[in-house]
Amino acid sequence: MVSERASQRAFFGVSALLFAASAAVTIVWCASMSAMGEMPMPGGWTMSMAWMRMPGQTWPGAAASFLGMWVVMMVAMMLPSLVPMLWRYRQSVGSTRRAAGRTGETRLGRLTALVGVGYFFVWTVFGMAAFPLGVALATVEMQQPALARAVPIAVGVVVLIAGALQFTAWKAHHLACCREAPGRGRTLPADAGTAWRHGLRLGLHCSYCCAGLTAILLVIGVMDLRAMAVVTAAITVERLAPAGERVARATGAVVVGAGLFLIARAAGLG
């Protein structure tokens, strides 16, 4: 019992330190990006510097910088909802092992870390896809003023669609898969291959489940701390609250309202 409590304190202590470090780096990164300013665009909006090269920077360098920022940001945003899932995995795997003492705890920690690495690997791939798409859109918008003027309405439409997505069976399915975890009627083998696949599975379901909310973050401002905080809170609550599906729908209603407001404002109706 004492060993279990010590293990629990160590696990949540390391998780808290990782969250604090990633949040601090994200805040510093956002502040440095804000200090560089944003590019005014036709239509009365500004473009984030996240989609541009810094002076003297190559495109591979810009991509690597964005990806590093993206991974740290995802750790800060997703860790609050992931930690309980990792703890249940650790308990499940620990219940299948008879090994005790330092060696058993060390291996258990490595397997749990591997699940987390698999999970964030999926989000890394997502960021690798988001960067060239964002750069391509930014380039077109800078070359086509008429298209740039339509961006505020397009942002409202994206937010509206993201809100509507919260009501779909597709969202409910992936949210249920995210909320499902070992330790609730099933266990997982204690091997590296299973841990890696479990992390990938969690990451895939999470990225699908959060697709709409992540899209909002990308179009509102990938380096906007307020947007990050709101999206993080929405993801965490719908993942961990007892009535997660109802929370997702309530979030969807708020987001739909925000989308309609943005469209009306962009159209000059508000």
Side-chain angles (χ1 to χ4, degrees):
M1 183 67 70
V2 174
S3 176
E4 176 69 16
R5 281 200 294 267
S7 175
Q8 185 175 11
R9 284 197 298 269
F11 172 82
F12 285 104
V14 170
S15 300
L17 287 174
L18 182 58
F19 171 75
S22 60
V25 172
T26 299
I27 291 170
V28 170
W29 218 321
C30 288
S32 65
M33 293 292 287
S34 297
M36 288 186 286
E38 296 182 327
M39 180 181 292
M41 298 292 291
W45 61 284
T46 56
M47 182 181 293
S48 171
M49 298 299 291
W51 310 115
M52 302 176 196
R53 288 185 299 176
M54 297 298 103
Q57 190 179 42
T58 63
W59 277 117
S65 178
F66 175 87
L67 196 59
M69 173 201 71
W70 175 266
V71 171
V72 172
M73 183 179 73
M74 285 299 111
V75 172
M77 291 181 61
M78 301 301 170
L79 201 58
S81 59
L82 178 63
V83 164
M85 308 302 173
L86 292 179
W87 176 247
R88 292 194 196 108
Y89 168 83
R90 184 183 175 94
Q91 288 181 308
S92 172
V93 172
S95 69
T96 67
R97 293 179 57 84
R98 294 181 177 274
R102 188 176 182 84
T103 302
E105 281 298 314
T106 300
R107 175 161 175 76
L108 197 54
R110 289 174 181 169
L111 290 174
T112 305
L114 187 57
V115 173
V117 171
Y119 176 89
F120 286 112
F121 174 78
V122 174
W123 280 107
T124 302
V125 172
F126 190 93
M128 291 171 66
F131 181 71
L133 179 60
V135 169
L137 288 173
T139 301
V140 172
E141 288 160 359
M142 286 188 288
Q143 294 174 349
Q144 302 291 333
L147 181 62
R149 292 188 187 94
V151 166
I153 290 181
V155 168
V157 171
V158 170
V159 173
L160 180 62
I161 293 172
L165 193 64
Q166 294 287 107
F167 295 91
T168 63
W170 185 83
K171 165 74 178 189
H173 167 70
H174 289 294
L175 179 59
C177 291
C178 288
R179 290 166 61 87
E180 179 188 358
R184 292 181 175 177
R186 67 190 184 96
T187 58
L188 293 174
D191 64 85
T194 301
W196 175 254
R197 288 190 296 272
H198 183 62
L200 292 178
R201 173 182 172 275
L202 280 177
L204 284 170
H205 282 302
C206 181
S207 62
Y208 296 153
C209 179
C210 301
L213 296 175
T214 305
I216 293 174
L217 183 64
L218 288 171
V219 299
I220 293 296
V222 70
M223 297 304 294
D224 188 318
L225 282 174
R226 291 170 298 180
M228 286 185 207
V230 172
V231 170
T232 300
I235 290 171
T236 302
V237 173
E238 72 177 19
R239 198 78 52 81
L240 302 182
E245 192 171 334
R246 256 184 287 178
V247 172
R249 288 174 179 158
T251 301
V254 173
V255 173
V256 166
L260 292 173
F261 171 77
L262 290 173
I263 292 171
R265 187 175 68 176
L269 303 177

